[in-house]
mmCIF file with all atom_site columns, all heavy atoms in Angstrom:
data_model
loop_
_atom_site.group_PDB
_atom_site.id
_atom_site.type_symbol
_atom_site.label_atom_id
_atom_site.label_alt_id
_atom_site.label_comp_id
_atom_site.label_asym_id
_atom_site.label_entity_id
_atom_site.label_seq_id
_atom_site.pdbx_PDB_ins_code
_atom_site.Cartn_x
_atom_site.Cartn_y
_atom_site.Cartn_z
_atom_site.occupancy
_atom_site.B_iso_or_equiv
_atom_site.pdbx_formal_charge
_atom_site.auth_seq_id
_atom_site.auth_comp_id
_atom_site.auth_asym_id
_atom_site.auth_atom_id
_atom_site.pdbx_PDB_model_num
ATOM 1  N N   . ALA P 1 378 ? -16.518 -9.627  43.696 1.00 92.00 ? 378 ALA P N   1
ATOM 2  C CA  . ALA P 1 378 ? -15.419 -9.453  42.748 1.00 92.00 ? 378 ALA P CA  1
ATOM 3  C C   . ALA P 1 378 ? -15.067 -10.769 42.064 1.00 92.00 ? 378 ALA P C   1
ATOM 4  O O   . ALA P 1 378 ? -14.838 -10.815 40.843 1.00 92.00 ? 378 ALA P O   1
ATOM 5  C CB  . ALA P 1 378 ? -14.191 -8.895  43.472 1.00 92.00 ? 378 ALA P CB  1
ATOM 6  N N   . THR P 1 379 ? -15.036 -11.848 42.840 1.00 93.00 ? 379 THR P N   1
ATOM 7  C CA  . THR P 1 379 ? -14.741 -13.160 42.258 1.00 93.00 ? 379 THR P CA  1
ATOM 8  C C   . THR P 1 379 ? -15.792 -13.551 41.237 1.00 93.00 ? 379 THR P C   1
ATOM 9  O O   . THR P 1 379 ? -15.463 -14.051 40.143 1.00 93.00 ? 379 THR P O   1
ATOM 10 C CB  . THR P 1 379 ? -14.662 -14.223 43.362 1.00 93.00 ? 379 THR P CB  1
ATOM 11 O OG1 . THR P 1 379 ? -13.661 -13.850 44.314 1.00 93.00 ? 379 THR P OG1 1
ATOM 12 C CG2 . THR P 1 379 ? -14.326 -15.587 42.782 1.00 93.00 ? 379 THR P CG2 1
ATOM 13 N N   . ALA P 1 380 ? -17.057 -13.325 41.571 1.00 95.00 ? 380 ALA P N   1
ATOM 14 C CA  . ALA P 1 380 ? -18.145 -13.672 40.644 1.00 95.00 ? 380 ALA P CA  1
ATOM 15 C C   . ALA P 1 380 ? -18.042 -12.873 39.351 1.00 95.00 ? 380 ALA P C   1
ATOM 16 O O   . ALA P 1 380 ? -18.239 -13.414 38.253 1.00 95.00 ? 380 ALA P O   1
ATOM 17 C CB  . ALA P 1 380 ? -19.494 -13.434 41.320 1.00 95.00 ? 380 ALA P CB  1
ATOM 18 N N   . VAL P 1 381 ? -17.735 -11.584 39.478 1.00 95.00 ? 381 VAL P N   1
ATOM 19 C CA  . VAL P 1 381 ? -17.605 -10.736 38.286 1.00 95.00 ? 381 VAL P CA  1
ATOM 20 C C   . VAL P 1 381 ? -16.459 -11.232 37.402 1.00 95.00 ? 381 VAL P C   1
ATOM 21 O O   . VAL P 1 381 ? -16.599 -11.333 36.176 1.00 95.00 ? 381 VAL P O   1
ATOM 22 C CB  . VAL P 1 381 ? -17.378 -9.265  38.693 1.00 95.00 ? 381 VAL P CB  1
ATOM 23 C CG1 . VAL P 1 381 ? -16.959 -8.428  37.479 1.00 95.00 ? 381 VAL P CG1 1
ATOM 24 C CG2 . VAL P 1 381 ? -18.641 -8.696  39.323 1.00 95.00 ? 381 VAL P CG2 1
ATOM 25 N N   . ILE P 1 382 ? -15.338 -11.575 38.018 1.00 96.00 ? 382 ILE P N   1
ATOM 26 C CA  . ILE P 1 382 ? -14.187 -12.053 37.245 1.00 96.00 ? 382 ILE P CA  1
ATOM 27 C C   . ILE P 1 382 ? -14.527 -13.369 36.548 1.00 96.00 ? 382 ILE P C   1
ATOM 28 O O   . ILE P 1 382 ? -14.155 -13.585 35.381 1.00 96.00 ? 382 ILE P O   1
ATOM 29 C CB  . ILE P 1 382 ? -12.959 -12.203 38.154 1.00 96.00 ? 382 ILE P CB  1
ATOM 30 C CG1 . ILE P 1 382 ? -12.466 -10.817 38.589 1.00 96.00 ? 382 ILE P CG1 1
ATOM 31 C CG2 . ILE P 1 382 ? -11.841 -12.969 37.452 1.00 96.00 ? 382 ILE P CG2 1
ATOM 32 C CD1 . ILE P 1 382 ? -11.398 -10.845 39.660 1.00 96.00 ? 382 ILE P CD1 1
ATOM 33 N N   . VAL P 1 383 ? -15.244 -14.250 37.227 1.00 96.00 ? 383 VAL P N   1
ATOM 34 C CA  . VAL P 1 383 ? -15.639 -15.527 36.617 1.00 96.00 ? 383 VAL P CA  1
ATOM 35 C C   . VAL P 1 383 ? -16.557 -15.290 35.420 1.00 96.00 ? 383 VAL P C   1
ATOM 36 O O   . VAL P 1 383 ? -16.380 -15.893 34.352 1.00 96.00 ? 383 VAL P O   1
ATOM 37 C CB  . VAL P 1 383 ? -16.317 -16.441 37.652 1.00 96.00 ? 383 VAL P CB  1
ATOM 38 C CG1 . VAL P 1 383 ? -16.966 -17.643 36.963 1.00 96.00 ? 383 VAL P CG1 1
ATOM 39 C CG2 . VAL P 1 383 ? -15.315 -16.911 38.690 1.00 96.00 ? 383 VAL P CG2 1
ATOM 40 N N   . VAL P 1 384 ? -17.528 -14.392 35.570 1.00 97.00 ? 384 VAL P N   1
ATOM 41 C CA  . VAL P 1 384 ? -18.450 -14.097 34.466 1.00 97.00 ? 384 VAL P CA  1
ATOM 42 C C   . VAL P 1 384 ? -17.687 -13.490 33.289 1.00 97.00 ? 384 VAL P C   1
ATOM 43 O O   . VAL P 1 384 ? -17.888 -13.877 32.126 1.00 97.00 ? 384 VAL P O   1
ATOM 44 C CB  . VAL P 1 384 ? -19.572 -13.150 34.934 1.00 97.00 ? 384 VAL P CB  1
ATOM 45 C CG1 . VAL P 1 384 ? -20.388 -12.645 33.742 1.00 97.00 ? 384 VAL P CG1 1
ATOM 46 C CG2 . VAL P 1 384 ? -20.480 -13.867 35.925 1.00 97.00 ? 384 VAL P CG2 1
ATOM 47 N N   . LEU P 1 385 ? -16.808 -12.537 33.588 1.00 97.00 ? 385 LEU P N   1
ATOM 48 C CA  . LEU P 1 385 ? -16.017 -11.927 32.522 1.00 97.00 ? 385 LEU P CA  1
ATOM 49 C C   . LEU P 1 385 ? -15.157 -12.974 31.815 1.00 97.00 ? 385 LEU P C   1
ATOM 50 O O   . LEU P 1 385 ? -15.034 -12.979 30.580 1.00 97.00 ? 385 LEU P O   1
ATOM 51 C CB  . LEU P 1 385 ? -15.121 -10.823 33.087 1.00 97.00 ? 385 LEU P CB  1
ATOM 52 C CG  . LEU P 1 385 ? -15.822 -9.566  33.605 1.00 97.00 ? 385 LEU P CG  1
ATOM 53 C CD1 . LEU P 1 385 ? -14.804 -8.612  34.237 1.00 97.00 ? 385 LEU P CD1 1
ATOM 54 C CD2 . LEU P 1 385 ? -16.584 -8.858  32.498 1.00 97.00 ? 385 LEU P CD2 1
ATOM 55 N N   . GLY P 1 386 ? -14.560 -13.880 32.594 1.00 96.00 ? 386 GLY P N   1
ATOM 56 C CA  . GLY P 1 386 ? -13.745 -14.928 31.998 1.00 96.00 ? 386 GLY P CA  1
ATOM 57 C C   . GLY P 1 386 ? -14.554 -15.848 31.100 1.00 96.00 ? 386 GLY P C   1
ATOM 58 O O   . GLY P 1 386 ? -14.090 -16.242 30.018 1.00 96.00 ? 386 GLY P O   1
ATOM 59 N N   . CYS P 1 387 ? -15.766 -16.190 31.522 1.00 97.00 ? 387 CYS P N   1
ATOM 60 C CA  . CYS P 1 387 ? -16.634 -17.052 30.694 1.00 97.00 ? 387 CYS P CA  1
ATOM 61 C C   . CYS P 1 387 ? -17.009 -16.356 29.393 1.00 97.00 ? 387 CYS P C   1
ATOM 62 O O   . CYS P 1 387 ? -17.005 -16.976 28.315 1.00 97.00 ? 387 CYS P O   1
ATOM 63 C CB  . CYS P 1 387 ? -17.882 -17.437 31.472 1.00 97.00 ? 387 CYS P CB  1
ATOM 64 S SG  . CYS P 1 387 ? -17.571 -18.566 32.855 1.00 97.00 ? 387 CYS P SG  1
ATOM 65 N N   . LEU P 1 388 ? -17.349 -15.065 29.464 1.00 97.00 ? 388 LEU P N   1
ATOM 66 C CA  . LEU P 1 388 ? -17.672 -14.317 28.253 1.00 97.00 ? 388 LEU P CA  1
ATOM 67 C C   . LEU P 1 388 ? -16.474 -14.240 27.319 1.00 97.00 ? 388 LEU P C   1
ATOM 68 O O   . LEU P 1 388 ? -16.613 -14.364 26.094 1.00 97.00 ? 388 LEU P O   1
ATOM 69 C CB  . LEU P 1 388 ? -18.149 -12.911 28.620 1.00 97.00 ? 388 LEU P CB  1
ATOM 70 C CG  . LEU P 1 388 ? -19.511 -12.812 29.313 1.00 97.00 ? 388 LEU P CG  1
ATOM 71 C CD1 . LEU P 1 388 ? -19.771 -11.376 29.771 1.00 97.00 ? 388 LEU P CD1 1
ATOM 72 C CD2 . LEU P 1 388 ? -20.626 -13.272 28.379 1.00 97.00 ? 388 LEU P CD2 1
ATOM 73 N N   . SER P 1 389 ? -15.284 -14.054 27.886 1.00 97.00 ? 389 SER P N   1
ATOM 74 C CA  . SER P 1 389 ? -14.079 -14.005 27.062 1.00 97.00 ? 389 SER P CA  1
ATOM 75 C C   . SER P 1 389 ? -13.788 -15.359 26.430 1.00 97.00 ? 389 SER P C   1
ATOM 76 O O   . SER P 1 389 ? -13.328 -15.435 25.278 1.00 97.00 ? 389 SER P O   1
ATOM 77 C CB  . SER P 1 389 ? -12.880 -13.558 27.898 1.00 97.00 ? 389 SER P CB  1
ATOM 78 O OG  . SER P 1 389 ? -13.018 -12.213 28.305 1.00 97.00 ? 389 SER P OG  1
#
Side-chain angles (χ1 to χ4, degrees):
T379 302
V381 168
I382 290 171
V383 169
V384 170
L385 292 175
C387 291
L388 291 173
S389 293

